[in-house]
Amino acid sequence: PSLLTFNLPIRCRSMNVSSGISAKLYDSLGNQKASFNLINNAATIDINHLPAGVYYLKILIGNKLESHTVIKQ
């Protein structure tokens, strides 16, 4: 898990993605809190407005789905 305070930087090292990269952030109840596309394989999402807790980041790279746990203190 990642320990975060304010911003969540996301960077994809895969350079051969022709169909784009998108990401969604969900809370522990499964409610979507953010959705965004990565530009030049990177993005930063502001999580200041979210309360402390556990979140799940799902990143779609082409047809591959990655999931990551994020903890905001």
Side-chain angles (χ1 to χ4, degrees):
S2 302
L3 296 177
L4 303 174
T5 304
F6 300 105
N7 292 309
L8 176 61
I10 300 168
R11 180 164 293 137
C12 177
R13 295 179 190 210
S14 174
M15 299 308 239
N16 296 324
V17 178
S18 60
S19 59
I21 303 170
S22 61
K24 294 182 180 181
L25 185 69
Y26 296 91
D27 66 14
S28 60
L29 298 176
N31 299 312
Q32 184 177 313
K33 296 299 180 179
S35 176
F36 50 95
N37 294 315
L38 278 72
I39 299 171
N40 295 325
N41 292 344
T44 299
I45 179 171
D46 179 4
I47 59 172
N48 285 316
H49 64 284
L50 297 176
V54 177
Y55 296 89
Y56 301 97
L57 179 66
K58 297 193 181 219
I59 303 173
L60 184 62
I61 305 169
N63 61 357
K64 181 182 174 189
L65 181 65
E66 290 186 6
S67 295
H68 302 273
T69 302
V70 175
I71 299 172
K72 181 182 179 196
Q73 294 185 330

